[in-house]
């Protein structure tokens, strides 16, 4: 069983930065692909970024490439999303997700565990 708790959301002006954190429980965190998703009001949840169990491989949706950076700290069982140059269209609830398989591919993860989400609001 994996539990995920996000933090770090808030209100920020366009062009600003936020760093989201996700604290994970579970014995196999260091073996799991982790990801971030977001859901804007009235829209479907969408993939934002993923990071392999080792941290060596990362993947991003096109609209956040060059602005967002996903990272992880395995000893601390934490994953982060550094968001820079934020835009109003980045406004959403951001969710942390975990693929419970060990040493799985970060290109095609099967996320099964989700946090409760943290709200990011970017004003004009």
């Amino acid at each position: 069983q994996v539990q995920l708790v996000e933090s770090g959301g808030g209100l920020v002006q366009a062009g600003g930065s936020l760093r989201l954190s996700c604290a994970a429980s579970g014995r196999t965190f260091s073996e799991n692909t982790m990801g971030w998703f977001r859901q804007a009001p009235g829209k479907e949840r969408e993939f934002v970024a993923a990071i392999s169990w080792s941290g060596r491989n990362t993947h991003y949706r096109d609209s956040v490439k060059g602005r967002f950076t996903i990272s992880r700290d395995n000893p601390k069982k934490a994953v982060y999303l550094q968001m820079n140059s934020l835009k109003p269209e980045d406004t959403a609830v951001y969710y942390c997700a975990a693929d419970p398989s060990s040493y799985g591919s970060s290109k095609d993860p099967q996320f099964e565990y989700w946090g409760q989400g943290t709200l990011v609001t970017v004003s004009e």
Side-chain angles (χ1 to χ4, degrees):
Q1 187 73 14
V2 176
Q3 291 185 325
L4 305 170
V5 179
E6 302 95 335
S7 61
L11 174 63
V12 64
Q13 288 188 328
S17 298
L18 280 176
R19 188 191 193 211
L20 305 184
S21 299
C22 173
S25 66
R27 295 181 295 109
T28 62
F29 175 83
S30 62
E31 301 171 4
N32 305 139
T33 295
M34 299 295 294
W36 287 96
F37 287 72
R38 67 186 181 188
Q39 186 168 19
K43 296 186 177 181
E44 294 187 354
R45 186 172 59 192
E46 63 183 19
F47 168 81
V48 175
I51 187 167
S52 63
W53 59 271
S54 65
R56 286 194 289 266
N57 298 306
T58 57
H59 309 277
Y60 299 92
R61 70 178 300 106
D62 287 346
S63 62
V64 308
K65 285 180 180 177
R67 299 189 298 124
F68 290 12
T69 302
I70 188 171
S71 62
R72 66 189 297 158
D73 186 331
N74 283 346
K76 293 184 177 179
K77 293 187 178 181
V79 62
Y80 308 100
L81 186 67
Q82 178 67 44
M83 305 185 296
N84 299 328
S85 303
L86 283 161
K87 305 175 181 180
E89 52 263 41
D90 294 318
T91 294
V93 177
Y94 283 71
Y95 298 91
C96 179
D99 174 353
S101 60
S102 295
Y103 308 116
S105 170
S106 60
K107 292 183 179 181
D108 186 27
Q110 303 301 310
F111 295 110
E112 295 185 11
Y113 295 100
W114 301 87
Q116 83 290 348
T118 185
L119 176 62
V120 172
T121 304
V122 184
S123 62
E124 297 280 356

